[in-house]
Amino acid sequence: MIARNKGFTLVEVMIVMVILAIIMSIGIPGYRQYLQRANRADATTALLRIAAAQERFFIANGTYASNAQLAPAPPAGLGIAGTERGFYDLNVQPGPGGLATGYILVAQVAPGDDQADDADCWSFTTTERGQRSAFNNAGAENTDECWR
């Protein structure tokens, strides 16, 4: 009887490695896109929280809060220092008639963050009237894709 060595040949190991590489090359980009879409909720949630805080601030003060009043705690400000996970930078801009009549809230991808690879939804905005918009990194509007 001939004794056979047990184990895998180099060819068998290489075939398994090639199959794993193909599966990973398909799966990893899809997973990355999924994470980017999920992280967009960081911006939209923060903007909606600020909008609600702006209405409370307006009732108490007769004007909307400025960008400088974003982080200080109420009643001097809104008490919102940033987004929950820090993927976006927030700021408040005066509306066309100034802060006495309106505001524009902006959430833009924080530079150097993993979310900066999300070219489709670079910045989000909303106004006191609830008008939402979003833009890609080239400045083109992409509201329907981003505010799902």
Side-chain angles (χ1 to χ4, degrees):
M1 220 170 169
I2 299 175
R4 294 187 52 141
N5 292 336
K6 295 182 180 181
F8 298 105
T9 65
L10 182 59
V11 172
E12 292 171 331
V13 171
M14 293 303 291
I15 289 172
V16 170
M17 295 296 285
V18 167
I19 291 171
L20 286 174
I22 292 170
I23 290 172
M24 287 176 33
S25 69
I26 294 169
I28 289 176
Y31 181 68
R32 181 72 187 128
Q33 289 176 343
Y34 167 77
L35 284 178
Q36 288 176 345
R37 284 193 317 268
N39 290 340
R40 292 174 191 161
D42 194 34
T44 57
T45 302
L47 290 180
L48 296 175
R49 282 183 31 230
I50 294 171
Q54 281 282 36
E55 295 307 319
R56 288 190 300 271
F57 189 89
F58 185 82
I59 290 170
N61 299 298
T63 185
Y64 291 107
S66 68
N67 196 49
Q69 295 168 312
L70 193 58
L78 302 179
I80 301 172
T83 62
E84 187 175 325
R85 294 189 212 135
F87 294 131
Y88 294 86
D89 293 332
L90 301 172
N91 73 48
V92 178
Q93 299 171 358
L99 288 172
T101 60
Y103 60 83
I104 301 169
L105 304 176
V106 179
Q108 188 169 358
V109 171
D113 193 88
D114 289 340
Q115 194 64 14
D117 295 339
D118 187 8
D120 293 334
C121 300
W122 189 258
S123 67
F124 296 82
T125 65
T126 189
T127 67
E128 77 285 349
R129 295 176 184 250
Q131 297 168 326
R132 299 173 180 174
S133 58
F135 302 92
N136 64 18
N137 62 352
E141 187 173 352
N142 199 8
T143 304
D144 293 335
E145 174 73 21
C146 300
W147 277 94
R148 288 192 200 185

